[in-house]
Amino acid sequence: MTQLSETPNQKNSLFNAMNRFLGAVNNMDQTIMVPSLLRDVPLDDDLELSCLKSDEDAEGTMFGYYQLLKSIRRDIEWGVRGAVFDANRKEGMKITRTNSTGSSSSGSSRCSSSCSSTCSDDDEEEDLQKQFQYHLTGLQGVLSKLTQQADCLTKRYKQEIGL
């Protein structure tokens, strides 16, 4: 993927955050030729990665982070529905639209109930804008941390194999 040069105004854009993450994961993927070598490398040895470790992380190995980062890259490139479809196809299951239809209908009922409330359209637009900005900021923060993880993992792999 070709990375575009960033202007100071675009430095914090979501597009550039995604590009930086994808570039870091692609670099990690190209550098790590034998991912199985990461299976025996615990995260606790690397201070940079251990501080990024989540409490819910089951594996706790560099290989687990390698797989996680590649999975997130796939979700960004192909979308979450594509990842769900791939997982269900591998299990031999058919995707049903009941889950997506159920969630959208509950969202529609929330929308219609909020539309019938006494709130004005300006308040709803402001609320949507605040929600969007909140989630955008969170997404950019997560992408930044994931980019750091990919860079640290690449650096650690190079140390392990002596590059």
Side-chain angles (χ1 to χ4, degrees), residues 1-148:
M1 175 176 268
T2 306
Q3 291 187 352
L4 304 173
S5 62
E6 297 176 5
T7 63
N9 294 337
Q10 294 176 329
K11 185 176 183 180
N12 295 322
S13 76
L14 178 61
F15 179 72
N16 284 332
M18 288 189 329
N19 256 350
R20 285 190 294 271
F21 169 72
L22 293 173
V25 174
N26 286 339
N27 181 41
M28 175 193 76
D29 206 19
Q30 291 172 356
T31 302
I32 299 175
M33 295 296 189
V34 185
S36 61
L37 291 177
L38 297 172
R39 287 187 189 275
D40 298 328
V41 182
L43 287 174
D44 299 325
D45 294 346
D46 195 322
L47 295 176
E48 291 179 56
L49 279 174
S50 63
C51 70
L52 297 173
K53 183 179 178 180
S54 67
D55 295 336
E56 300 171 5
D57 191 26
E59 282 209 27
T61 64
M62 302 286 269
F63 185 73
Y65 267 107
Y66 174 80
Q67 288 183 313
L68 173 73
L69 292 166
K70 286 186 65 165
S71 172
I72 292 170
R73 177 186 65 183
R74 186 188 65 231
D75 290 347
I76 288 174
E77 290 177 339
W78 296 101
V80 178
R81 283 188 172 260
V84 170
F85 178 74
D86 288 345
N88 287 340
R89 187 180 57 174
K90 286 179 184 177
E91 294 174 12
M93 296 171 48
K94 291 167 66 175
I95 289 185
T96 61
R97 302 192 89 186
T98 56
N99 290 342
S100 61
T101 307
S103 63
S104 65
S105 66
S106 64
S108 300
S109 63
R110 276 182 283 168
C111 180
S112 62
S113 66
S114 67
C115 292
S116 64
S117 68
T118 59
C119 295
S120 69
D121 290 339
D122 292 338
D123 290 342
E124 289 176 13
E125 286 180 18
E126 185 177 314
D127 186 46
L128 286 175
Q129 184 178 11
K130 286 179 183 177
Q131 286 180 15
F132 175 75
Q133 289 173 347
Y134 173 78
H135 290 292
L136 182 65
T137 302
L139 181 57
Q140 287 176 323
V142 168
L143 285 170
S144 175
K145 287 179 182 178
L146 291 171
T147 301
Q148 284 179 318

